[in-house]
Amino acid sequence: TPSRNDALVWMARTLIDQDELSESAGLINTLQYDPNLPLRLRDDLDEVNAYWFYKQNIFDSAAAHLQKSLSNAESKQDRARSEFLLAQLYELTNQFDKASLYYSKVSAHTTAPLMDIYARLNNAKMMKGSNPLELNNSINKLVKMAKKDKFETFKDILFYSAGELSLQKKDTLAAISYFAKSFQFNQTNLPLKNKATLQLADIAYNQKQYKKAYAYYDSLQLADTSLADRLANIKTKKSALVKIVEKIIIVEREDSAIRKISTTLVLKENESGFELI
């Protein structure tokens, strides 16, 4: 009966979830060569096949089967989710043209603003910084999105993304501005706020603006688990910067005192030459 084939497809999917990949492969193979498999289940089978390859990190084959199953989507948003995953799979296999194509499709189909934002951002990254004009275009699109009402609550993500793309084209000044705006519009997203602050800290550090860099590093919320990978490096930099900033303050204080003294000293010409008064 028709339900038998549906059950076999679900059995294959369940076996994959249980990491019984050999048993699942047997079922998938049986269904693939079954002349009586209904046409309506072909997309379901491709979807399961894509999942089977995905679980084994065979991303090129996973992408090939997932692409065949796209028509299985029940809605535009469901299709956009599959297209986003497909774009990521192509990105993992260095097929950047195909990845870019499907990220563009996501933006056209999704009804979720956040997915649209990340699709545009990931699509811009597919250029690998080789085309500054295209990067400028992507940055401008992100900034325009930030001005729209429906993206009001995502301004922090949009400006952070614009900052990342600005760094990609070596425009540090613009990046600083966008990261600062991301921080400004961030109300609740602590990990993103820390990421923006850390970007500003790293830029200031690389530009040898050590007082500013220390202030940024010091304002990081170190309890945030998203900083775990860089926590040791941050603490090392902060320890070094404390000593540097102390010396800078001393030098600035002494320079200020010298400037005050110099403003009271005047050379006066007299009969014998010049005297200091």
Side-chain angles (χ1 to χ4, degrees):
T1 59
S3 60
R4 171 186 176 278
N5 292 308
D6 292 84
L8 289 174
V9 171
W10 275 103
M11 280 180 64
R13 189 190 301 271
T14 303
L15 287 168
I16 295 171
D17 277 328
Q18 294 176 332
D19 291 323
E20 300 288 349
L21 298 177
S22 297
E23 289 80 356
S24 179
L27 271 180
I28 292 171
N29 191 58
T30 298
L31 288 166
Q32 277 181 327
Y33 294 100
D34 182 356
N36 297 315
L37 182 71
L39 186 62
R40 64 181 177 82
L41 287 179
R42 288 290 172 188
D43 287 349
D44 294 68
L45 186 58
D46 275 315
E47 199 172 88
V48 172
N49 227 334
Y51 188 32
W52 188 84
F53 282 111
Y54 176 82
K55 288 280 282 189
Q56 298 175 90
N57 297 329
I58 307 174
F59 299 127
D60 51 351
S61 297
H65 285 285
L66 182 58
Q67 186 174 346
K68 292 178 182 178
S69 72
L70 286 178
S71 58
N72 208 28
E74 296 178 357
S75 64
K76 284 182 70 175
Q77 182 58 21
D78 190 33
R79 185 181 180 93
R81 287 168 59 86
S82 295
E83 287 169 340
F84 197 100
L85 177 56
L86 182 55
Q88 289 178 307
L89 290 171
Y90 280 131
E91 184 178 348
L92 286 169
T93 55
N94 299 321
Q95 300 180 68
F96 299 120
D97 289 342
K98 288 185 177 180
S100 179
L101 171 65
Y102 281 98
Y103 280 131
S104 297
K105 289 179 181 290
V106 172
S107 291
H109 295 149
T110 186
T111 57
L114 194 59
M115 183 177 286
D116 188 9
I117 291 168
Y118 280 110
R120 291 174 188 270
L121 174 62
N122 291 355
N123 194 12
K125 289 179 178 177
M126 295 305 95
M127 300 160 200
K128 300 299 177 187
S130 60
N131 192 332
L133 292 177
E134 287 296 326
L135 281 173
N136 282 336
N137 187 42
S138 296
I139 291 169
N140 290 335
K141 284 181 179 178
L142 290 170
V143 173
K144 285 180 181 178
M145 288 170 69
K147 295 178 181 178
K148 295 181 180 179
D149 291 341
K150 73 173 183 176
F151 296 115
E152 178 68 29
T153 56
F154 303 108
K155 281 186 175 182
D156 52 349
I157 297 173
L158 288 165
F159 282 123
Y160 182 84
S161 301
E164 279 195 316
L165 295 180
S166 296
L167 284 182
Q168 200 169 316
K169 69 186 191 77
K170 312 298 183 185
D171 189 348
T172 307
L173 193 62
I176 291 171
S177 173
Y178 290 131
F179 289 136
K181 286 181 179 179
S182 174
F183 186 92
Q184 175 189 343
F185 290 107
N186 192 327
Q187 300 296 322
T188 58
N189 192 338
L190 178 60
L192 187 63
K193 185 174 286 190
N194 268 336
K195 285 174 72 176
T197 304
L198 189 55
Q199 290 278 22
L200 290 167
D202 288 342
I203 290 171
Y205 184 86
N206 292 332
Q207 292 179 340
K208 299 182 180 180
Q209 300 179 38
Y210 297 126
K211 284 179 69 176
K212 189 179 289 187
Y214 175 76
Y216 283 130
Y217 284 125
D218 193 49
S219 65
L220 290 168
Q221 301 295 315
L222 299 182
D224 175 20
T225 54
S226 68
L227 294 176
D229 292 343
R230 289 202 54 186
L231 193 57
N233 179 261
I234 291 168
K235 288 181 177 179
T236 301
K237 282 185 176 179
K238 277 183 65 178
S239 298
L241 285 170
V242 166
K243 299 173 184 177
I244 294 172
V245 171
E246 285 177 354
K247 301 297 183 185
I248 291 173
I249 291 172
I250 292 170
V251 170
E252 289 177 344
R253 189 185 300 128
E254 290 180 352
D255 284 349
S256 177
I258 291 170
R259 281 195 298 272
K260 286 180 180 179
I261 292 171
S262 66
T263 58
T264 64
L265 299 177
V266 180
L267 284 174
K268 181 180 179 182
E269 188 175 3
N270 56 30
E271 294 178 356
S272 60
F274 291 92
E275 63 175 326
L276 201 59
I277 61 171

